[in-house]
Amino acid sequence: MSTTTLDRKSIRNSVGPGPAFHRVLNSEFIKFRTLMSTLILLASTALVMVGFAALSAWGTGQFAEQAAADPEVAAAMAAQGGDLAVSIPTSGISFAQLILGSLGVLLMSSEFTTGMARSTFAAVPKRLTPFLAKLIVVMVSAFLLTAVSIYIAGLVSLPIVDTYDLKLDLGSSQSIKLLLVNSLYVAAVAAIGMALGTIVRNSAGGIMSLVGLLFVAPIAFQLIPGDFFKEANKYLPTSTITPMTAVEHVPDTLEAWQAALVLGAWVVVPVALAMVLLKKRDV
């Protein structure tokens, strides 16, 4: 009995701490950038954001041209100045969050569906190490890709809005604020997606859960009567962008700092739950 106990202890101690974190991070980044499916999703995100920005610029210009015939509308637009066109580069954020959120789901769920999790955790016995490495990779990649795509979308939109005499200053404080907040938001959604992929361990289930949270829940909360759902709608992830990007506080929304805390909670809680389940459940 004592010999068996000793053997088990020696086996546990012989596992070792595993590779250093920076090595795991490097391996996860190599895995991330060498998968063709990942590159396709990243390229699709950039194309969608630039394409929707161009369409939005054209649509906004058409609206401005038609509204110019109405003196009252024209006066209101003149008072807004560049505000009419400032959000054009971020027109494709709704689709970017879905694509990169799904990428976050696939990044972890594919480990379980393909059986690669066994090899990963055999190479790195501390399960949280590869999880945190994946989380950093997907969040940083989502942030950088979104920021670059928004800026390119703005550059593409500039000549379009110029033809309609609309102002779009990519260097203004509001434009920079929109770029940073939306990029952070998409990075947060990617983290939520990865957490869902870890919890559900199924790609389809994780993506459907993400779609339900980002698209179905906001619509349902608006349609269901009652003050509870109207108030609860303010605390959904998609409802946090407007308060954080608005020049002035928008009625019936959270304060900017409250929205930031809510978005942070939407990241921390699922990620913490995923980490707990990852340690407790079998691979």
Side-chain angles (χ1 to χ4, degrees):
M1 186 71 174
S2 60
T3 305
T4 305
T5 304
L6 182 61
D7 291 340
R8 288 177 179 174
K9 287 182 178 180
S10 62
I11 291 173
R12 277 197 208 99
N13 294 333
S14 65
V15 173
F21 181 77
H22 71 277
R23 295 184 182 277
V24 179
L25 182 63
N26 183 53
S27 65
E28 291 296 340
F29 177 68
I30 293 173
K31 188 190 299 183
F32 181 82
R33 64 183 172 82
T34 53
L35 287 173
M36 184 58 66
S37 58
T38 300
L39 297 178
I40 291 174
L41 289 175
L42 295 177
S44 300
T45 303
L47 288 174
V48 165
M49 292 191 66
V50 174
F52 268 89
L55 287 174
S56 179
W58 175 78
T60 303
Q62 289 289 316
F63 168 77
E65 198 174 55
Q66 294 174 6
D70 189 334
E72 294 183 0
V73 177
M77 290 175 56
Q80 288 184 6
D83 291 344
L84 187 65
V86 71
S87 61
I88 287 175
T90 60
S91 302
I93 284 297
S94 295
F95 297 93
Q97 67 172 348
L98 178 59
I99 298 174
L100 294 179
S102 300
L103 176 61
V105 173
L106 294 172
L107 197 65
M108 202 65 194
S109 63
S110 61
E111 291 276 349
F112 298 101
T113 55
T114 61
M116 281 296 296
R118 298 186 184 90
S119 301
T120 300
F121 296 137
V124 187
K126 292 183 178 180
R127 296 184 180 183
L128 296 186
T129 301
F131 176 84
L132 293 175
K134 287 178 182 290
L135 187 65
I136 292 174
V137 168
V138 74
M139 289 189 70
V140 172
S141 300
F143 176 85
L144 293 177
L145 177 68
T146 305
V148 172
S149 298
I150 290 175
Y151 188 74
I152 294 175
L155 294 177
V156 171
S157 302
L158 275 176
I160 301 175
V161 298
D162 283 343
T163 60
Y164 296 99
D165 295 327
L166 295 177
K167 298 178 182 178
L168 177 59
D169 183 6
L170 299 180
S172 66
S173 59
Q174 182 63 9
S175 293
I176 295 173
K177 183 180 180 181
L178 283 168
L179 185 147
L180 293 176
V181 171
N182 281 277
S183 300
L184 286 171
Y185 171 76
V186 174
V189 171
I192 295 171
M194 183 174 160
L196 290 175
T198 308
I199 295 169
V200 180
R201 293 191 174 189
N202 180 272
S203 299
I207 293 173
M208 290 306 297
S209 300
L210 188 69
V211 170
L213 177 63
L214 299 180
F215 293 95
V216 179
I219 297 174
F221 282 17
Q222 289 178 357
L223 295 177
I224 299 174
D227 294 336
F228 172 79
F229 290 99
K230 182 180 179 180
E231 188 68 20
N233 189 41
K234 300 178 184 179
Y235 295 89
L236 293 176
T238 50
S239 300
T240 60
I241 299 182
T242 300
M244 290 190 293
T245 56
V247 177
E248 297 179 356
H249 177 65
V250 180
D252 294 328
T253 62
L254 300 174
E255 296 288 344
W257 65 270
Q258 293 174 327
L261 289 177
V262 169
L263 183 60
W266 274 108
V267 175
V268 172
V269 173
V271 167
L273 178 60
M275 292 170 67
V276 171
L277 294 177
L278 186 63
K279 291 187 68 175
K280 288 185 175 296
R281 294 192 297 192
D282 293 333
V283 179

